[in-house]
Amino acid sequence: MVPAAPSGRLKEEIIMKRRLSLSVLFSLILAVIIFPAVTQAKDIVVGTSVALTGKYARTGQEQLQGFQMWVDEVNARGGLLGRKVKLVHYDDESKPETGAKLYEKLITDDKVDLLIGPYSSDVTMAASTVAEKYHFPMVSSGASATEIWERGYKNTFGLYTLAETYMDSILEFGKSKGLKKIALIYENTAFPRGVAAGVKDKAKKLGMQVVFEEEYGKASTDFSSMIIKIKSRKPDMVIGGSYLPDSTAFMRQAKENRLFAKIFAFAVGPGLPDFGQNLGLDAEGVMGNTQWEPTLKLPGVKEFAEKYNQKYGHEPGYHAGGGYGTGQVLEAAVKKAGSTDPDKVRAALFALDIVTTFGRFKVDATGKQIGKPAYAVQWLAGERHIVLPVEAATAKAAYPFKDWGKR
Amino acid sequence: MELLEPEILLQLLIGGLLAGALYALLACGLNLIFGVMRVINLAHAELMLIGAFGAYVLFHIFGLHPLASLLIVVPAIFFVGYYLQRFLIERVVGRPMLTSLLATYGLSIILINLGLLLFSADFKSIPALQGSFLIDELAVSKPRATAGLISLLLTVGVYQFLERTRLGKAIRAVSEHAQVAAICGIDVRQIRMLTFGMAAAMAGAAGVMLSVIYSFWPGSGVDFIQKCFAIIIIGGMGNFVGAFYGGILLGVVEAFVGGFISTQWAEAAAYLLLVTVLLIRPTGLKGVARA
Amino acid sequence: MNNYRIGLWIGVALVALASLAPLGLNDYQQSFLLQVFLVIALAQAWNLISGMTGYVSFGHAAFFGVGAYASALLLTWGFPWWLAVLKSAGIAALLAVPLGFLTLRLRGPYFAIAMLGLNEVGRIVATLWVSVTHGGTGLTLSPELLPSLDVKYFTMFGLALGATLLVAWIHRSRFGLELRAIREDEEAAEMVGVNTTLNKVIAFVLSALIPGAVGAVYVMYTSYINPSSAFEHARNIEMIVVVLFGGSGTVWGPIIGAGTVMVLREMLWAQFPAAHLAALGVLLLVVVLYLPGGLVSILRDRQRSRPDARSGESP
């Protein structure tokens, strides 16, 4: 410490007392946190984290609303194994490290009975490591990068069709129209990279050529220089491994810079109602992927979509559908296992082969989803329609993408 | 290489200049504050976002075009700035740098999180100005051209104000030497409030311009403030004209790096420029020795 | 001298408490304490350079990020955890030598912003050096590579303790005196024969070593790292807020600050993410405006009229 100021004995005593009271206060505060949290033993506690802030906030929220609908319904049906289901959720801020911390908390502090994964592949990458560490099975609703299932883990069960296959049907469609040159852009995180890897692979098989390829950062909102470059390569198809904000920004700037291609296709963005709301007429003709649509002919879809619309005031996107489907998968697994014991639930999840509102659920020995097909959507007359595969289509794909000048 | 075609170079240049004009508007305000008060306003980008959200609200509730909303938003933010100075920043003027940095940082955190509570973390955009002007084969983005030109006009306007009017001269006098200015009968406190109000208004205008170009959310400010740091370091701290050139330079460099290397490198350009300039010329390219 | 003895006893009590804590805590509570130690260690590191010399760094998380990445890579290449920690700390310190010589030529806001820029450069390197860092996807460490929670807990505890003792020792040494002389008036210090450059660089390197080691342990705790989490700007701010809140340039300040800020955060964080940060902002304003010497200054003898914490640039 700095040289002590001259002070009498009395003063020193006062100081000492002050310090003591501080240390008492400090230890009291410590004691309060350290005191174990009390949880009710009777309810089945389902834990999850979703992005409520940050880049994935919009999609994370949809997913959470899907979970909540399932929780409400299962409780209305009398609960699970005769017990009430309670959802504990936190906000992972769209950050993987926060996600990891939260799953640690869910497992060790909240002592949840069942785990649902977070939204986005990169948060799942981090969260799944924690689940693996505690040997706790986790049904992962919002992740699709193959990388997640290539690490030898035994506790992560995917619901989504894999990122690598996202663009397959659109590429095949392009091929059937005689298109050759592809411009490929993608965010530098797990899921978009997975989409891109799939595109490159499929393009090679179809004999198509990737004439432009570039990664961009998670916070990118300005693509104009990139678009000017893409323009000079004159691609037939522009494909984006993207989320909602970047795909919206890209299309807007594509129009400003008069980038033209026969097909524009993006991951995630066009599958959400916001894409059409934000872009208005400029969304027309843009293709995308969806894991699920409220128009699919699967058990319970119509009822779910109606109820969701009533409750939240907009039609559910696939993230909401996925959240709801995750609940159904958990429900089926717990029923099959007859308990919430992690080992039994894990075994049940591996063995499960069911069709939920979200689609078929069947995983391979790594927990990777292999039962669910991918769908392609397109914005037509201000609405999102399934256009591929033809069996599930609600409209015929419009081709080619209309020139900006002729709209 | 096809990139060297004049048409592409021209497009990159135009894009860079337009983006640079917006940066300049923001950074000039930041430097104006630093010049007069020796305070780095870490909440400057949040003032900008108040402008952006202001335009957003006016557009979606009253259907007001963003360019028209400038007339409401800019004066409003002038008063926000004026009173911020009076009740908060005034207390940290003349205190050590860390004090003012932290005070304005605290303000920025509060504003960001108020924004999150009010507007959520969704990206917002205003679909008012879209598409492009076609000049022969050259496509120039309508929102960017509009935003760039208005930003340029405003910056030049403020500069003229500082150079030619009595009040502007008083501001410069305080910036040069506050004590001498006070002796000459200038109300230094009042000048500081006007300065902060004016800089805030510039940031607010930049925000309205931003809202027609990009999508934004309450956390969008971080990128901008860090770019502004780079700009004011490049241009010299407290130097209005320096910040203007710094802004334009950064816009152009980003456009060309984005065009010739990649968008990720373009995002890095500001920091690489910043660190390089600091290491070569510790007081910036147009630096003043005092700080 | 009585002051020291009291401080010593409180210190010993806290050390004993922290050593015994794992016996009665569940994993999550133990992890919470681990994070408190993390913040204490980082805050002491920042205190060492900025609190003592007055060179305000806005980018010390850069060294944390370097340590975290180095450790993640070393672990995947098969190094044992303790060697990974040592090497990561060494790498951070080694990097700090040339960086210190370059950046410490700058004064006041220029140094602060240069450090901020360095932190961003770190993030950029981690993003763009895809072949090593996997870019934005980040690195995940598989559970079998990681030491047990107890090991991580005690390592982090050791780092917090070590950093605190280091600061305490410097405080009483001639070296500390010279650093404070630099803070008060660098030219004058030079004139009376203080080798300012060397002193500053040594302080800088020491203050980089600690975050390097802390980052190394942190990545073992989260088992995941990506460019934005390694070089997170919020971490820079956290160090500064914690030190200022507790009391800059003092030994106890960072500890008190870390305890208070972390408890506050734990109470608000998970439930009200926006509110927790807004509260931090308000706290910051209050401290800056009304309590420039930090909490420590309330406890200290009131006879000393001026607060000791004058860590700003020289005018």
Side-chain angles (χ1 to χ4, degrees):
Chain A
M1 305 259 145
V2 229
S7 53
R9 216 186 139 68
L10 189 70
K11 214 158 242 158
E12 260 175 41
E13 259 173 44
I14 294 171
I15 298 163
M16 194 171 88
K17 273 185 189 151
R18 278 207 195 115
R19 292 203 174 204
L20 273 178
S21 55
L22 172 86
S23 63
V24 169
L25 188 75
F26 191 68
S27 21
L28 265 179
I29 293 170
L30 265 180
V32 169
I33 334 155
I34 286 163
F35 200 75
V38 186
T39 43
Q40 280 185 314
K42 279 194 175 163
D43 294 349
I44 293 186
V45 183
V46 182
T48 188
S49 98
V50 280
L52 295 178
T53 54
K55 182 172 179 189
Y56 308 136
R58 180 75 190 79
T59 35
Q61 196 161 37
E62 285 256 314
Q63 183 168 306
L64 178 65
Q65 288 167 351
F67 296 151
Q68 269 160 346
M69 284 214 28
W70 169 74
V71 171
D72 293 349
E73 284 180 18
V74 80
N75 284 334
R77 285 197 298 265
L80 197 48
L81 303 177
R83 289 155 70 187
K84 252 188 94 183
V85 175
K86 205 180 113 198
L87 185 70
V88 176
H89 70 86
Y90 299 108
D91 172 23
D92 60 40
E93 304 164 315
S94 312
K95 290 183 194 161
E97 72 277 16
T98 314
K101 207 168 131 186
L102 286 171
Y103 279 83
E104 188 106 31
K105 180 172 165 64
L106 287 167
I107 297 171
T108 63
D109 190 44
D110 296 322
K111 302 206 177 351
V112 296
D113 300 295
L114 301 166
L115 264 191
I116 297 178
Y119 177 68
S120 87
S121 293
D122 55 336
V123 182
T124 305
M125 284 283 278
S128 56
T129 310
V130 178
E132 188 66 22
K133 190 163 81 185
Y134 292 99
H135 305 288
F136 209 109
M138 175 173 98
V139 180
S140 163
S141 174
S144 60
T146 314
E147 216 183 331
I148 294 167
W149 290 278
E150 282 171 349
R151 297 173 297 172
Y153 290 6
K154 289 270 173 259
N155 289 286
T156 313
F157 298 87
L159 217 69
Y160 279 13
T161 311
L162 293 174
E164 279 71 4
T165 64
Y166 261 47
M167 293 291 173
D168 285 4
S169 60
I170 293 176
L171 284 168
E172 279 161 12
F173 177 75
K175 173 80 183 166
S176 75
K177 301 285 180 191
L179 304 184
K180 282 211 177 64
K181 291 190 284 181
I182 300 169
L184 177 63
I185 55 149
Y186 49 98
E187 195 195 82
N188 63 0
T189 56
F191 160 76
R193 280 182 172 168
V195 172
V199 168
K200 283 188 268 187
D201 204 44
K202 185 77 182 174
K204 210 176 191 179
K205 280 185 198 142
L206 294 172
M208 299 163 95
Q209 197 192 349
V210 176
V211 293
F212 179 88
E213 182 187 344
E214 193 173 313
E215 280 196 344
Y216 55 86
K218 201 166 169 175
S220 293
T221 48
D222 192 347
F223 299 98
S224 47
S225 292
M226 195 193 269
I227 289 170
I228 291 169
K229 255 190 299 184
I230 297 177
K231 229 172 131 179
S232 71
R233 307 277 167 91
K234 302 192 170 50
D236 301 319
M237 301 176 77
V238 174
I239 296 189
S242 55
Y243 288 97
L244 177 66
D246 39 352
S247 55
T248 316
F250 188 93
M251 277 318 287
R252 225 178 141 178
Q253 293 166 21
K255 182 186 178 187
E256 288 166 15
N257 288 294
R258 305 226 158 204
L259 171 64
F260 179 68
K262 299 239 168 47
I263 291 177
F264 282 91
F266 296 90
V268 185
L272 285 163
D274 309 52
F275 190 79
Q277 280 160 26
N278 292 344
L279 286 171
L281 286 177
D282 298 338
E284 189 67 16
V286 179
M287 297 178 103
N289 316 97
T290 186
Q291 293 279 351
W292 178 88
E293 283 295 310
T295 49
L296 275 177
K297 291 164 196 75
L298 286 165
V301 171
K302 224 181 132 203
E303 293 80 358
F304 166 70
E306 273 167 17
K307 269 196 216 160
Y308 187 94
N309 205 340
Q310 254 171 32
K311 192 161 179 189
Y312 298 109
H314 62 271
E315 71 164 359
Y318 73 74
H319 302 88
Y324 188 73
T326 305
Q328 293 176 314
V329 168
L330 266 182
E331 189 176 346
V334 170
K335 277 188 181 152
K336 194 179 167 98
S339 85
T340 58
D341 175 71
D343 293 330
K344 286 183 186 155
V345 172
R346 187 187 309 111
L349 282 166
F350 271 124
L352 219 54
D353 184 356
I354 55 166
V355 177
T356 69
T357 300
F358 192 59
R360 187 169 165 213
F361 176 89
K362 177 171 174 45
V363 295
D364 68 5
T366 62
K368 188 165 78 181
Q369 181 57 239
I370 50 172
K372 204 180 148 313
Y375 306 96
V377 290
Q378 189 173 32
W379 281 85
L380 297 166
E383 278 183 44
R384 208 163 73 235
H385 285 282
I386 298 180
V387 291
L388 296 168
V390 181
E391 311 86 77
T394 53
K396 199 172 169 298
Y399 177 86
F401 190 82
K402 251 192 224 144
D403 192 342
W404 296 112
K406 295 178 188 127
R407 292 181 162 231
Chain B
M1 193 173 137
E2 78 261 48
L3 272 178
L4 290 173
E5 280 170 27
E7 189 196 320
I8 290 177
L9 291 179
L10 188 62
Q11 278 217 308
L12 289 174
L13 182 67
I14 292 173
L17 287 173
L18 292 174
L22 181 63
Y23 290 155
L25 178 60
L26 193 63
C28 284
L30 191 63
N31 246 359
L32 195 60
I33 294 174
F34 185 81
V36 171
M37 273 154 284
R38 296 290 180 272
V39 166
I40 298 178
N41 177 25
L42 286 179
H44 206 62
E46 278 65 48
L47 293 174
M48 171 185 83
L49 285 173
I50 295 180
F53 278 103
Y56 175 82
V57 168
L58 290 173
F59 180 81
H60 282 278
I61 296 182
F62 303 105
L64 200 62
H65 194 279
L67 296 183
S69 70
L70 267 179
L71 298 175
I72 299 173
V73 170
V74 171
I77 296 181
F78 173 85
F79 284 106
V80 170
Y82 187 89
Y83 286 103
L84 267 179
Q85 171 67 28
R86 174 153 181 203
F87 293 109
L88 177 68
I89 312 295
E90 190 64 31
R91 292 160 167 273
V92 297
V93 171
R95 301 261 293 272
M97 183 201 67
L98 187 61
T99 308
S100 58
L101 274 178
L102 289 171
T104 53
Y105 184 73
L107 180 64
S108 121
I109 303 179
I110 295 170
L111 288 175
I112 292 175
N113 290 289
L114 278 181
L116 283 172
L117 291 172
L118 283 173
F119 296 101
S120 85
D122 295 353
F123 279 81
K124 310 278 190 217
S125 57
I126 303 180
L129 271 170
Q130 287 181 335
S132 51
F133 300 113
L134 266 191
I135 307 166
D136 211 10
E137 275 297 283
L138 203 70
V140 179
S141 150
K142 264 187 212 169
R144 277 173 206 241
T146 318
L149 290 177
I150 292 181
S151 301
L152 187 67
L153 273 177
L154 287 173
T155 318
V156 172
V158 172
Y159 179 70
Q160 291 301 326
F161 170 81
L162 290 176
E163 285 292 308
R164 289 171 197 261
T165 64
R166 235 184 114 72
L167 192 56
K169 283 177 185 159
I171 290 177
R172 283 193 298 137
V174 175
S175 172
E176 289 292 324
H177 208 299
Q179 272 133 336
V180 174
I183 292 165
C184 296
I186 295 173
D187 182 348
V188 174
R189 222 172 93 89
Q190 184 68 20
I191 289 291
R192 288 200 201 112
M193 291 193 276
L194 284 174
T195 305
F196 202 91
M198 206 158 79
M202 290 167 81
V208 178
M209 297 299 105
L210 168 102
S211 75
V212 298
I213 306 180
Y214 301 114
S215 34
F216 52 93
W217 68 290
S220 291
V222 183
D223 289 336
F224 282 92
I225 194 72
Q226 296 192 348
K227 281 179 187 172
C228 278
F229 281 156
I231 293 167
I232 63 172
I233 290 284
I234 293 165
M237 297 188 79
N239 188 325
F240 191 94
V241 179
F244 177 78
Y245 288 125
I248 302 283
L249 178 72
L250 181 65
V252 174
V253 167
E254 279 188 345
F256 277 99
V257 171
F260 283 94
I261 310 174
S262 76
T263 304
Q264 287 197 76
W265 277 98
E267 281 158 13
Y271 307 108
L272 298 175
L273 220 62
L274 164 79
V275 172
T276 320
V277 168
L278 273 180
L279 295 183
I280 299 169
R281 277 206 54 162
T283 50
L285 293 180
K286 294 198 70 163
V288 276
R290 56 152 201 260
Chain C
M1 277 298 114
N2 231 347
N3 273 350
Y4 287 120
R5 213 174 298 156
I6 298 164
L8 203 66
W9 278 115
I10 295 177
V12 170
L14 283 179
V15 168
L17 200 66
S19 319
L20 295 173
L23 296 174
L25 298 182
N26 74 22
D27 281 9
Y28 183 72
Q29 292 151 351
Q30 201 178 342
S31 301
F32 172 76
L33 283 185
L34 187 153
Q35 289 170 51
V36 176
F37 299 147
L38 180 145
V39 175
I40 291 176
L42 289 181
Q44 293 290 19
W46 189 85
N47 194 18
L48 184 55
I49 180 76
S50 303
M52 291 204 181
T53 68
Y55 276 75
V56 175
S57 166
F58 257 58
H60 246 57
F63 299 112
F64 176 92
V66 166
Y69 262 102
S71 159
L73 290 169
L74 290 165
L75 285 173
T76 33
W77 294 335
F79 285 87
W81 68 268
W82 56 271
L83 205 56
V85 175
L86 288 179
K87 284 195 177 220
S88 307
I91 290 170
L94 219 59
L95 212 62
V97 176
L99 290 178
F101 276 108
L102 286 172
T103 54
L104 289 163
R105 297 181 306 156
L106 306 168
R107 294 277 177 91
Y110 290 99
F111 175 77
I113 294 177
M115 286 304 296
L116 186 107
L118 272 185
N119 183 47
E120 291 304 315
V121 169
R123 191 174 56 79
I124 290 160
V125 171
T127 308
L128 295 175
W129 196 3
V130 179
S131 58
V132 173
T133 62
H134 291 195
T137 309
L139 297 168
T140 345
L141 297 169
S142 73
E144 66 265 24
L145 293 175
L146 307 171
S148 72
L149 181 60
D150 278 340
V151 168
K152 288 176 273 193
Y153 175 89
F154 282 108
T155 316
M156 199 63 100
F157 173 55
L159 288 172
L161 186 63
T164 306
L165 291 176
L166 182 68
V167 169
W169 173 75
I170 291 177
H171 230 284
R172 305 180 67 171
S173 70
R174 185 183 163 76
F175 177 51
L177 200 65
E178 292 184 353
L179 291 183
R180 282 200 295 277
I182 292 175
R183 181 177 79 197
E184 297 307 326
D185 191 337
E186 191 161 343
E187 277 75 26
E190 198 147 356
M191 232 134 39
V192 297
V194 175
N195 186 342
T196 53
T197 309
L198 191 67
N199 272 320
K200 284 189 294 185
V201 172
I202 291 175
F204 189 76
V205 170
L206 286 175
S207 83
L209 185 100
I210 300 164
V214 171
V217 184
Y218 172 82
V219 75
M220 295 174 192
Y221 163 64
T222 58
S223 64
Y224 176 83
I225 196 84
N226 71 9
S228 45
S229 68
F231 299 95
E232 199 180 5
H233 186 52
R235 191 161 285 118
N236 289 314
I237 300 304
E238 189 179 67
M239 288 184 217
I240 302 173
V241 172
V242 160
V243 174
L244 284 202
F245 190 61
S248 170
T250 66
V251 177
W252 281 97
I255 298 174
I256 294 168
T260 325
V261 169
M262 289 299 286
V263 168
L264 186 77
R265 157 174 315 180
E266 190 62 17
M267 292 191 302
L268 294 172
W269 167 65
Q271 278 76 21
F272 319 98
H276 131 247
L277 284 169
L280 206 67
V282 174
L283 190 72
L284 194 56
L285 274 185
V286 170
V287 171
V288 165
L289 295 180
Y290 302 106
L291 202 63
L295 280 180
V296 163
S297 68
I298 304 180
L299 304 161
R300 202 183 281 140
D301 190 350
R302 276 170 194 261
Q303 254 203 343
R304 200 174 306 137
S305 52
R306 288 180 310 127
D308 179 49
R310 290 208 304 154
S311 49
E313 98 275 40
S314 40

